[in-house]
Amino acid sequence: MHFLISWLITTLLFYGFSELGVLIKVSSFSAALQLSFFFALFYLILRLLAFSLKLTGCLTLGIGYLVGLVIQMIAYPLALLHASEHSQGVSSVSFLQAVILSILVIALRDAILQRLDEKTKKKRIF
């Protein structure tokens, strides 16, 4: 359930930034849904790759760990770059745009999710 809410919030943020004309152009809400789905899919693949490289850090004298750490740090912008290439109705973004947009989307999405979690915890107590 948390994944679906996160996916919907990410979709709304991409569509909202597109409507404001900030960093990305999305032709429709369905294109924003497709973009956020590919974004989550590519991010998951990159995180799995980074995790596997970090696990092999002992075998590679720390090189695998460092590579995994770098991939983990740039996973969001890379996922956004690949997602914009594979989504129909989405303008291509540069790496700098992907970095800025991913920081904005992550910060806003996490703030919204944190507020929702706080509200649901308060309802559970009473």
Side-chain angles (χ1 to χ4, degrees), residues 10 14 23-24 35 38-44 46-47 69-86 90-107 109:
T10 304
F14 282 141
L23 300 172
I24 195 166
L35 175 67
F38 282 130
F39 177 67
L41 180 69
F42 288 128
Y43 178 71
L44 177 68
L46 287 171
R47 285 296 300 242
L69 193 62
V70 169
I71 289 174
Q72 183 177 346
M73 289 189 322
I74 61 172
Y76 275 114
L78 287 178
L80 187 57
L81 280 173
H82 289 296
S84 68
E85 290 174 3
H86 295 325
V90 178
S91 66
S92 62
V93 294
S94 68
F95 186 74
L96 180 62
Q97 288 173 326
V99 169
I100 295 169
L101 190 60
S102 63
I103 290 171
L104 288 173
V105 167
I106 293 164
R109 185 192 66 202

Side-chain angles (χ1 to χ4, degrees), residues 3 10-11 22 36 46 62 77 79 97 119:
F3 173 75
T10 304
T11 301
V22 179
S36 63
L46 287 171
Q97 288 173 326
K119 286 184 179 182

Side-chain angles (χ1 to χ4, degrees), residues 5-6 15 25 36 41 47-48 51 57 60 63 66 74 85 89 91 94 98 101-102 105 123 125-126:
I5 293 172
S6 175
Y15 190 69
K25 299 286 186 206
S36 63
L41 180 69
R47 285 296 300 242
L48 289 174
F51 179 72
T60 60
I63 294 171
L66 291 176
I74 61 172
E85 290 174 3
S91 66
S94 68
L101 190 60
S102 63
V105 167
K123 289 182 181 179
I125 292 174
F126 298 114

